[in-house]
Amino acid sequence: MSVILICLGDSQDDKYEGILKLLDVLLSAQKEPEEKKQILANDFDIKMTKQLESEVSLMCNLSKGVEEYGRLIGRQQGLQEGLKEGLKEGILSSIINLMDSMGWSAERAMDALKIPESEQRLYFYELNKQ
């Protein structure tokens, strides 16, 4: 599999013409199929046949699907970050509770919670912030 990344630019840019404009029109999630057909016919002299109209509509659906997929991935990453942050806060709260109720040092509380040494520095830092 190969990936090709093309910067389509901006419609206000001087170089926004030719293949870049054509790709932008075809892949745009913001333009409706009718608007795309009109631009293709007027700006590129592309005759709209039934088959081509069908393919333009398909491209519209594809670009909207790609955009939605991007949103979904973003939400999923946000959820993962939120879960990590929540877990960190929960562990920090447990450390503080053990220190308060048992009179333990932060190190002993982390050992009791089986927090790996590689992560203990993070919790020492968070405890010192409070």
Side-chain angles (χ1 to χ4, degrees):
M1 177 188 279
S2 297
V3 175
I4 298 172
L5 183 64
I6 300 172
C7 179
L8 297 176
D10 186 336
S11 61
Q12 308 303 318
D13 191 351
D14 294 343
K15 297 185 179 11
Y16 184 75
E17 58 186 36
I19 190 72
L20 293 179
K21 182 176 180 181
L22 177 65
L23 287 171
D24 185 41
V25 170
L26 288 174
L27 299 174
S28 173
Q30 285 76 38
K31 291 180 175 57
E32 293 298 320
E34 289 305 316
E35 182 183 2
K36 289 182 181 188
K37 291 176 201 173
Q38 186 178 18
I39 293 170
L40 292 174
N42 295 340
D43 294 1
F44 296 98
D45 296 322
I46 297 174
K47 240 169 124 178
M48 282 294 124
T49 63
K50 291 284 183 201
Q51 182 179 353
L52 191 54
E53 283 185 28
S54 168
E55 290 174 6
V56 169
S57 294
L58 181 64
M59 290 294 286
C60 287
N61 292 337
L62 174 65
S63 60
K64 287 179 182 173
V66 168
E67 183 179 43
E68 185 58 34
Y69 177 74
R71 280 194 201 114
L72 179 63
I73 294 299
R75 277 187 241 130
Q76 188 176 20
Q77 288 172 341
L79 179 60
Q80 287 173 344
E81 289 299 314
L83 288 172
K84 278 186 198 175
E85 189 64 29
L87 181 60
K88 184 176 88 173
E89 291 296 320
I91 291 171
L92 188 60
S93 177
S94 295
I95 294 168
I96 292 168
N97 288 340
L98 285 171
M99 291 169 63
D100 288 344
S101 63
M102 303 297 284
W104 290 352
S105 68
E107 188 175 88
R108 185 169 180 196
M110 286 188 245
D111 287 342
L113 293 169
K114 298 186 189 290
I115 297 171
E117 283 186 39
S118 60
E119 295 176 21
Q120 287 186 12
R121 205 174 327 152
L122 167 74
Y123 292 105
F124 278 121
Y125 174 77
E126 291 296 327
L127 287 168
N128 287 327
K129 281 181 16 182
Q130 295 192 2

Short mmCIF file of all heavy atoms in Angstrom, two decimals, residues 17 29 45-46 58 63 81 86 121 126:
data_model
loop_
_atom_site.label_atom_id
_atom_site.label_comp_id
_atom_site.label_asym_id
_atom_site.label_seq_id
_atom_site.Cartn_x
_atom_site.Cartn_y
_atom_site.Cartn_z
N GLU A 17 -5.50 26.18 -9.25
CA GLU A 17 -6.03 25.95 -10.59
C GLU A 17 -5.65 24.56 -11.04
O GLU A 17 -4.96 23.84 -10.34
CB GLU A 17 -5.49 27.00 -11.57
CG GLU A 17 -3.98 27.02 -11.65
CD GLU A 17 -3.44 28.16 -12.51
OE1 GLU A 17 -4.02 29.25 -12.51
OE2 GLU A 17 -2.44 27.92 -13.17
N ALA A 29 -15.76 17.92 1.06
CA ALA A 29 -16.92 17.46 1.84
C ALA A 29 -17.91 18.61 2.03
O ALA A 29 -19.04 18.40 2.46
CB ALA A 29 -16.47 16.93 3.19
N ASP A 45 -14.92 22.16 -18.43
CA ASP A 45 -15.57 21.69 -19.67
C ASP A 45 -15.77 20.18 -19.68
O ASP A 45 -15.56 19.52 -20.69
CB ASP A 45 -14.76 22.13 -20.90
CG ASP A 45 -14.72 23.64 -21.05
OD1 ASP A 45 -15.75 24.28 -20.77
OD2 ASP A 45 -13.66 24.17 -21.45
N ILE A 46 -16.14 19.66 -18.52
CA ILE A 46 -16.41 18.22 -18.41
C ILE A 46 -17.90 18.02 -18.59
O ILE A 46 -18.72 18.53 -17.82
CB ILE A 46 -15.94 17.67 -17.05
CG1 ILE A 46 -14.42 17.82 -16.93
CG2 ILE A 46 -16.36 16.22 -16.88
CD1 ILE A 46 -13.85 17.43 -15.58
N LEU A 58 -20.90 9.70 -5.88
CA LEU A 58 -20.14 8.72 -5.11
C LEU A 58 -18.94 9.38 -4.44
O LEU A 58 -18.65 9.12 -3.26
CB LEU A 58 -19.67 7.59 -6.03
CG LEU A 58 -18.89 6.45 -5.36
CD1 LEU A 58 -19.77 5.71 -4.37
CD2 LEU A 58 -18.36 5.50 -6.42
N SER A 63 -16.01 11.50 0.28
CA SER A 63 -15.35 12.58 1.02
C SER A 63 -16.05 12.81 2.36
O SER A 63 -15.39 13.06 3.37
CB SER A 63 -15.32 13.88 0.21
OG SER A 63 -16.61 14.31 -0.13
N GLU A 81 -7.50 9.57 25.86
CA GLU A 81 -6.80 10.53 26.70
C GLU A 81 -7.57 10.79 28.00
O GLU A 81 -6.98 10.88 29.07
CB GLU A 81 -6.57 11.85 25.96
CG GLU A 81 -5.54 11.77 24.86
CD GLU A 81 -4.17 11.38 25.36
OE1 GLU A 81 -3.71 11.95 26.38
OE2 GLU A 81 -3.55 10.49 24.75
N GLY A 86 -8.24 10.11 33.77
CA GLY A 86 -9.09 9.65 34.87
C GLY A 86 -8.41 8.58 35.71
O GLY A 86 -8.48 8.58 36.94
N ARG A 121 7.70 8.49 39.46
CA ARG A 121 8.18 9.86 39.36
C ARG A 121 7.04 10.81 38.97
O ARG A 121 6.93 11.92 39.48
CB ARG A 121 9.31 9.93 38.33
CG ARG A 121 10.24 11.09 38.57
CD ARG A 121 11.45 11.10 37.67
NE ARG A 121 11.92 9.79 37.31
CZ ARG A 121 12.57 9.53 36.19
NH1 ARG A 121 12.83 10.47 35.33
NH2 ARG A 121 12.99 8.32 35.91
N GLU A 126 3.10 14.99 40.68
CA GLU A 126 1.70 15.42 40.89
C GLU A 126 1.43 15.71 42.37
O GLU A 126 0.71 16.65 42.69
CB GLU A 126 0.73 14.35 40.37
CG GLU A 126 0.72 14.18 38.86
CD GLU A 126 0.24 15.41 38.12
OE1 GLU A 126 -0.65 16.14 38.64
OE2 GLU A 126 0.73 15.66 37.01
#
